[in-house]
């Protein structure tokens, strides 16, 4: 698994039952994220992890796009408030930058790439989840932008950080991408049986 983000790992572990996910070893360096799309970044990370470890690898590249900011922060979500910014600083900047009475629609996007050392092409699965940006953070679950992300599919007015992990997984960008990947892995596994 080409990630050291404990939150992503925890979610993917629950979303990919039957697959043992091992965090990327500390001595493996990933190339800088210079891609302009989630898909491109996920492919590069998965390929680098598969080549470095000699094992199949999954990489997650994800983020949030705000309509009022023309889709920003997008692939720069982790570094929105600066290269070393914390989740709290990134969220605070998003809440400052999106006008209070403007378009508050947002979307989470997740690209999951799967790479194998001896197979040239990576497979990429993308999931999206649309919502509205709350005016102030609420809730303690999830991570990142979750305290201000009110998903369209929740019947209440809860933020992602106020949902149980299972509820988030059922509608999240990562949940959708992971279910598509799990289905493809099952088909691929059945084909070699
Ligand atoms: P990456 O590690 O470069 O893919 O950065 C992902 C960025 O998007 C981080 O800033 C996360 O906080 C944010 N992000 C991705 N997925 C989620 C999520 O499920 N909830 C909240 N924030 C997320």
């Amino acid at each position: 698994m080409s990630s050291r983000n404990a939150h992503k790992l925890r979610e993917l572990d629950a979303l990919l039952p039957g697959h043992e996910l091992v965090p990327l070893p500390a001595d493996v360096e990933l190339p800088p994220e210079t891609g302009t799309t989630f898909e491109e970044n996920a492919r590069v990370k998965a390929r680098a992890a598969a080549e470095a470890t000699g094992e199949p690898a999954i990489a997650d590249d994800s983020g949030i796009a705000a309509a009022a900011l023309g889709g920003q922060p997008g692939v720069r979500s982790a570094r929105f408030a600066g290269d070393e910014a914390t989740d709290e600083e990134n969220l605070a900047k998003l809440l400052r930058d999106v006008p209070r009475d403007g378009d508050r629609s947002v979307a989470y996007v997740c690209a999951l790439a799967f790479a194998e050392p001896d197979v040239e092409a990576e497979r990429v699965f993308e999931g999206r989840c649309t919502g509205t940006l709350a005016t102030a953070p609420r809730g303690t679950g999830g991570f990142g932008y979750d305290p201000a992300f009110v998903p369209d599919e929740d019947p209440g007015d809860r933020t992602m950080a106020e949902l149980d992990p299972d509820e988030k997984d059922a509608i999240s960008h990562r949940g959708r991408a992971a279910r598509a990947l799990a289905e493809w892995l099952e088909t691929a596994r059945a084909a070699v049986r």
Side-chain angles (χ1 to χ4, degrees):
M1 169 75 211
S2 169
S3 180
R4 302 186 176 102
N5 180 322
H7 301 285
K8 287 184 182 177
L9 271 171
R10 203 173 319 120
E11 291 189 2
L12 287 169
D13 240 343
L15 287 162
L16 296 169
H19 300 280
E20 194 201 348
L21 299 187
V22 179
L24 190 67
D27 59 344
V28 175
E29 244 188 76
L30 288 177
E33 281 182 28
T34 53
T36 55
T37 63
F38 295 106
E39 174 176 340
E40 198 181 337
N41 283 336
R43 272 184 201 281
V44 169
K45 287 193 274 188
R47 174 57 52 202
E51 298 305 336
T53 61
E55 300 283 344
I58 295 169
D60 170 312
D61 200 66
S62 46
I64 190 168
L69 306 180
Q72 295 296 314
V75 291
R76 294 186 50 253
S77 293
R79 306 178 297 280
F80 191 37
D83 281 349
E84 304 298 324
T86 62
D87 277 4
E88 291 72 25
E89 289 165 344
N90 288 326
L91 174 57
K93 177 167 167 58
L94 189 65
L95 289 173
R96 274 197 311 275
D97 287 6
V98 172
R100 249 178 196 258
D101 39 14
D103 184 347
R104 299 191 67 82
S105 47
V106 281
Y108 270 154
V109 183
C110 172
L112 280 183
F114 176 80
E116 290 176 279
D118 303 320
V119 181
E120 203 179 309
E122 302 87 27
R123 303 291 304 219
V124 184
F125 301 86
E126 201 161 289
R128 280 173 67 85
C129 174
T130 57
T132 303
L133 194 67
T135 47
R138 299 194 309 264
T140 55
F143 67 102
Y145 297 93
D146 283 347
F149 191 105
V150 179
D152 291 339
E153 279 158 278
D154 185 56
D157 187 34
R158 297 180 297 172
T159 68
M160 282 289 203
E162 294 177 308
L163 303 186
D164 290 336
D166 287 354
E167 291 176 309
K168 177 178 174 183
D169 289 349
I171 57 173
S172 79
H173 52 323
R174 187 164 296 103
R176 294 206 160 97
R179 283 188 289 277
L181 167 63
E183 202 173 300
W184 178 78
L185 285 171
E186 272 315 305
T187 315
R189 208 185 253 174
V192 295
R193 258 188 220 129

